[in-house]
Amino acid sequence: MPLIEMKNIKKDYFLGETVVHALRGIDLEIDSGEFIGIWGPSGSGKTTLLNLIGAIDEPTEGSLIMNGREVSRLSDNACSELRNKTVGFIFQGFNLVPVLSALENVMLPLQIKGTPMAEARTKALGRLQEVGLTGLDAHRPSKMSGGQQQRVAIARALVTTPSLVIADEPTANLDSENAHLIIDLMRALNEKDQTTFIFSTHDQRLLDRVKRLVRLEDGRIGNGGAASC
Amino acid sequence: MRNKRRSFVTLLAIGVGFAAISLFRGYTDATYNALRQTAVRGEGLAHLTVAKQGWFEKGKLDPQQYMFLEEDVQRIIKLIKEEPDVLVATPQIMIAGLVSNGTVSTIFVAQGVIPKEDKIIKGIFSSYGPIKGAALDDQKMYGVEMSRGLAEFLGLEAGKDGVAMAATLNGQMNAMDIQVIGVYETGTDMTNDKFMRVNYGFAQALYDAKMAEKVVVLLDDWRKTDSMRIRLLDKLTRAGFNCDIKTWNELSIFYSKVKAMFDSIFFFLFTIVMIIVVMSTVNTMGMAVLERTREIGTLRALGLKRRGVNLLFALEGGLLGLCGSLFGMFLHVATWAVIRIFQPTYTPPGTSISVPMVVHLVPQVMVVLMACLIVLSLMAAVIPARRAAGQKVVDALWHV
């Protein structure tokens, strides 16, 4: 059974009286352990597709099945639980809570899950070590570089050991060196834990490292479809 | 809570509001206490007044019918004094008439009391005693204490003689010599130019009646007033006396009116402060929600449920309420300490002497007020929190 199964997914946005067709019928299956890049020009629907896969948005039409569960039929609470336990998010702007330390940021998903504090702390410290941020756990995001902040975000995305990590342009705000570090890190974690990574990107360095590439054009999977690399 | 200036202003609003209510309540508590003391001891009402049934309504029209005979008075006092909580039970009689210095005369109202027992009722107020001369004396039948305004009007002072005139209960005019043995302050302008205090025996003699209009009862604790009333009424009824018993607060019109006025002001102030607190908290939390929309989106993306977001902001609101209340408590204690140190005085309207400003610390009021403000802040925070939690995750995440 695939981890994600999308059938004829459509998504429309309404800008006043104008309807914008962001996705025009996507059929896509994603298996566990994949390292997928979604690419395409601006406005092609990459972010919309990731939002739907991450269960933070609802399709206008179509069916999205994650781990055998139809996401659109889930209640808001069930969706929240699904995201907490199954999905990790890495955002282009890192989206760390500025008043919390790196450790506290990483502990957040575990605290939401209800994990005891000591256990959450241990797991979060382990993830921070894994992403190479040992000793920086007490630092606030404002005292860290972009690369370090993104690594905190990766640690946060992985701390609940999700089966799926969604990353929206994870290297867009990083310099070349940090971008390489992040790409290597994500790839290593994918290899090590068989965690599925789905990300949107324009970054050729990242595209060169993907196992599978999905090209979006005008809200559809473009010519060549989902190519394996 | 992250916008320090805005949080500070909200804390200030809650704190000052708390202090305003709490200080006013502390002031009214002290005022009620002082008014109670004034009514019970200053006015000599004691805690309970026992009179023949109908006296309070019709006694002035037909005093003879509604006054106790002397032998009944003694029996009633004996029955009342059997109660262990009773400190004093003493007869009183109010007389009214004309008082003269030999040249001019004016009206007077006098309270006829047994000086030895009246002194116990007066308690600490007896130390304020006559401002000139001596207090009433059981041995000086014709000695009177005269209010300052009355004494000034008649040009009388301690040691000077005068004449008191009144109609007896039978309607005959009666006149008796008096000697002013003391001049005192009644405490209010309304009574300071007409009141006198005389011996109980003198009052009976002027009215030519061996009767008393009431027996006043002083208890060891004012909180026992209501229960004692019920007990005494039952006891006296069973002994064959048809009595009415009124409490000090029923008889002290001044106390009731002042209390009603202060209670209205308190309610008004309380309402205004609560509105300010709610509006400040709603504004602070509303702005916080607006500023932290992306953060809320991130937390929701990480799996926080809507009720989690509600709880988060409600707790922040509650925390604002708690900190604001603690700040207000500090303001109250600081003001209370300043008042204790400097002991300012003021002259309330209608009184002839200045009184010290007293503000009580009333812990029960503070606790209730704190609970009110916390709950109110918490609820005020829920309004914007619900708005925040109701947003679609994706909209919150990309909010600019």
Side-chain angles (χ1 to χ4, degrees):
Chain A
M1 184 175 65
L3 176 65
I4 309 280
E5 192 177 355
M6 303 178 90
K7 289 179 188 165
N8 192 30
I9 288 287
K10 292 179 182 171
K11 178 69 185 177
D12 298 335
Y13 292 112
F14 297 90
L15 298 173
E17 291 182 357
T18 312
V19 181
V20 177
H21 303 288
L23 296 177
R24 297 165 185 260
I26 300 284
D27 294 300
L28 184 65
E29 286 189 2
I30 300 166
D31 291 320
S32 291
E34 287 203 73
F35 196 74
I36 302 178
I38 296 172
W39 74 293
S42 291
S44 59
K46 302 187 292 294
T47 300
T48 304
L49 185 61
L50 289 185
N51 289 343
L52 293 174
I53 295 172
I56 56 175
D57 202 359
E58 294 166 7
T60 310
E61 241 184 275
S63 144
L64 192 154
I65 295 165
M66 188 186 293
N67 274 336
R69 298 169 78 190
E70 173 66 59
V71 175
S72 60
R73 286 188 192 157
L74 297 177
S75 66
D76 189 75
N77 278 351
C79 251
S80 297
E81 278 176 29
L82 178 84
R83 287 195 297 270
N84 183 240
K85 290 174 184 166
T86 315
V87 187
F89 287 94
I90 302 168
F91 301 98
Q92 182 180 337
F94 321 132
N95 287 34
L96 300 176
V97 181
V99 291
L100 301 181
S101 68
L103 177 65
E104 289 164 339
N105 265 291
V106 178
M107 284 168 70
L108 266 178
L110 293 171
Q111 287 178 305
I112 291 169
K113 196 176 177 183
T115 308
M117 195 62 94
E119 189 186 334
R121 188 180 162 81
T122 309
K123 282 186 176 175
L125 280 170
R127 285 299 184 186
L128 280 172
Q129 190 182 13
E130 227 171 329
V131 298
L133 290 177
T134 310
L136 293 179
D137 49 287
H139 286 221
R140 294 246 173 122
S142 57
K143 303 286 176 196
M144 303 173 101
S145 70
Q148 286 171 330
Q149 287 187 55
Q150 195 58 302
R151 279 189 275 167
V152 173
I154 292 172
R156 183 178 67 184
L158 291 166
V159 76
T160 53
T161 327
S163 44
L164 171 68
V165 171
I166 289 169
D168 187 16
E169 306 265 7
T171 55
N173 284 345
L174 301 178
D175 57 33
S176 188
E177 187 186 352
N178 274 312
H180 273 296
L181 277 171
I182 295 301
I183 295 163
D184 289 344
L185 185 62
M186 290 200 302
R187 190 67 203 246
L189 291 166
N190 166 251
E191 297 281 338
K192 180 173 154 260
D193 300 333
Q194 285 301 296
T195 305
T196 307
F197 276 79
I198 307 173
F199 49 86
S200 65
T201 188
H202 287 107
D203 191 338
Q204 194 55 47
R205 295 161 301 189
L206 193 48
L207 291 172
D208 290 344
R209 304 284 299 275
V210 298
K211 290 180 183 171
R212 182 178 162 199
L213 202 56
V214 175
R215 178 180 163 79
L216 280 183
E217 273 176 26
D218 291 331
R220 293 189 182 90
I221 294 180
N223 287 343
S228 290
C229 302
Chain B
M1 301 288 279
R2 291 180 206 162
N3 188 316
K4 289 186 174 58
R5 189 184 300 169
R6 195 166 52 233
S7 298
F8 177 73
V9 169
T10 308
L11 284 179
L12 207 65
I14 297 173
V16 171
F18 181 101
I21 294 177
S22 172
L23 279 168
F24 187 71
R25 190 64 188 82
Y27 171 72
T28 57
D29 190 72
T31 305
Y32 295 164
N33 186 49
L35 288 174
R36 188 178 61 246
Q37 292 287 337
T38 305
V40 170
R41 295 185 181 277
E43 292 179 42
L45 293 171
H47 295 110
L48 293 166
T49 297
V50 183
K52 218 178 205 179
Q53 201 167 55
W55 163 260
F56 293 108
E57 295 80 27
K58 294 175 276 188
K60 299 288 182 216
L61 298 173
D62 189 359
Q64 210 158 9
Q65 190 187 337
Y66 292 103
M67 285 170 80
F68 289 125
L69 295 172
E70 189 61 29
E71 55 267 32
D72 288 342
V73 169
Q74 297 312 319
R75 279 181 62 208
I76 287 169
I77 289 174
K78 185 170 178 293
L79 286 168
I80 293 172
K81 280 187 172 172
E82 286 171 2
E83 296 294 328
D85 301 327
V86 172
L87 294 179
V88 173
T90 183
Q92 285 185 357
I93 187 168
M94 291 292 284
I95 57 172
L98 292 171
V99 59
S100 170
N101 61 3
T103 310
V104 291
S105 52
T106 185
I107 56 164
F108 77 90
V109 177
Q111 193 178 28
V113 298
I114 295 173
K116 188 176 63 179
E117 291 173 343
D118 184 63
K119 193 175 178 185
I120 300 171
I121 292 175
K122 291 282 183 221
I124 194 170
F125 277 74
S126 64
S127 63
Y128 299 133
I131 51 174
K132 283 177 188 164
L136 283 182
D137 189 333
D138 290 296
Q139 305 306 317
K140 294 180 179 172
M141 167 84 164
Y142 301 99
V144 302
E145 280 181 34
M146 193 171 271
S147 57
R148 184 176 51 80
L150 185 58
E152 281 173 4
F153 177 77
L154 293 172
L156 295 174
E157 57 189 43
K160 292 278 180 74
D161 295 330
V163 177
M165 292 169 280
T168 65
L169 290 186
N170 291 324
Q172 305 294 316
M173 202 60 196
N174 192 12
M176 290 175 74
D177 288 336
I178 57 167
Q179 184 180 45
V180 178
I181 57 172
V183 176
Y184 74 106
E185 288 279 359
T186 62
T188 62
D189 296 333
M190 283 186 297
T191 57
N192 220 13
D193 60 351
K194 52 181 81 70
F195 264 41
M196 292 204 303
R197 289 161 41 74
V198 301
N199 257 295
Y200 176 62
F202 177 89
Q204 281 186 323
L206 192 63
Y207 267 15
D208 191 24
K210 276 287 180 191
M211 301 173 106
E213 66 184 40
K214 60 194 173 190
V215 173
V216 296
V217 182
L218 184 75
L219 306 175
D220 57 2
D221 187 343
W222 69 274
R223 282 174 284 260
K224 294 175 183 170
T225 302
D226 289 327
S227 59
M228 182 59 78
R229 172 174 40 192
I230 295 166
R231 207 153 68 227
L232 285 183
L233 196 59
D234 180 55
K235 190 174 190 176
L236 292 172
T237 305
R238 277 193 281 110
F241 293 106
N242 285 328
C243 299
D244 279 335
I245 302 181
K246 292 217 173 193
T247 60
W248 60 271
N249 48 331
E250 288 171 339
L251 291 173
S252 180
I253 297 163
F254 186 67
Y255 175 87
S256 310
K257 287 193 169 175
V258 170
K259 188 171 186 302
M261 182 187 75
F262 275 144
D263 286 348
S264 305
I265 296 172
F266 180 78
F267 177 75
F268 184 67
L269 184 73
F270 187 80
T271 308
I272 288 177
V273 169
M274 288 300 135
I275 289 170
I276 291 171
V277 166
V278 169
M279 288 178 74
S280 302
T281 313
V282 167
N283 176 55
T284 302
M285 298 311 294
M287 293 300 286
V289 165
L290 204 65
E291 284 172 357
R292 288 160 60 187
T293 304
R294 284 192 73 180
E295 187 183 313
I296 293 165
T298 306
L299 292 173
R300 294 272 290 132
L302 296 179
L304 189 66
K305 293 175 183 167
R306 283 193 169 133
R307 67 166 177 266
V309 177
N310 280 333
L311 190 67
L312 195 69
F313 282 93
L315 283 176
E316 283 199 26
L319 201 60
L320 275 175
L322 175 69
C323 295
S325 299
L326 290 174
F327 176 55
M329 213 175 270
F330 166 77
L331 285 179
H332 183 144
V333 173
T335 311
W336 172 80
V338 167
I339 290 171
R340 294 272 290 189
I341 292 166
F342 293 101
Q343 298 186 330
T345 59
Y346 69 108
T347 306
T351 60
S352 54
I353 48 174
S354 63
V355 296
M357 175 176 273
V358 181
V359 172
H360 283 171
L361 283 174
V362 192
Q364 300 94 314
V365 171
M366 287 185 172
V367 170
V368 171
L369 193 56
M370 182 186 264
C372 275
L373 287 174
I374 291 173
V375 170
L376 214 60
S377 309
L378 202 135
M379 286 168 65
V382 166
I383 299 166
R386 285 180 69 86
R387 201 171 60 227
Q391 289 181 106
K392 286 175 76 177
V393 182
V394 70
D395 292 340
L397 268 173
W398 310 123
H399 177 85
V400 181

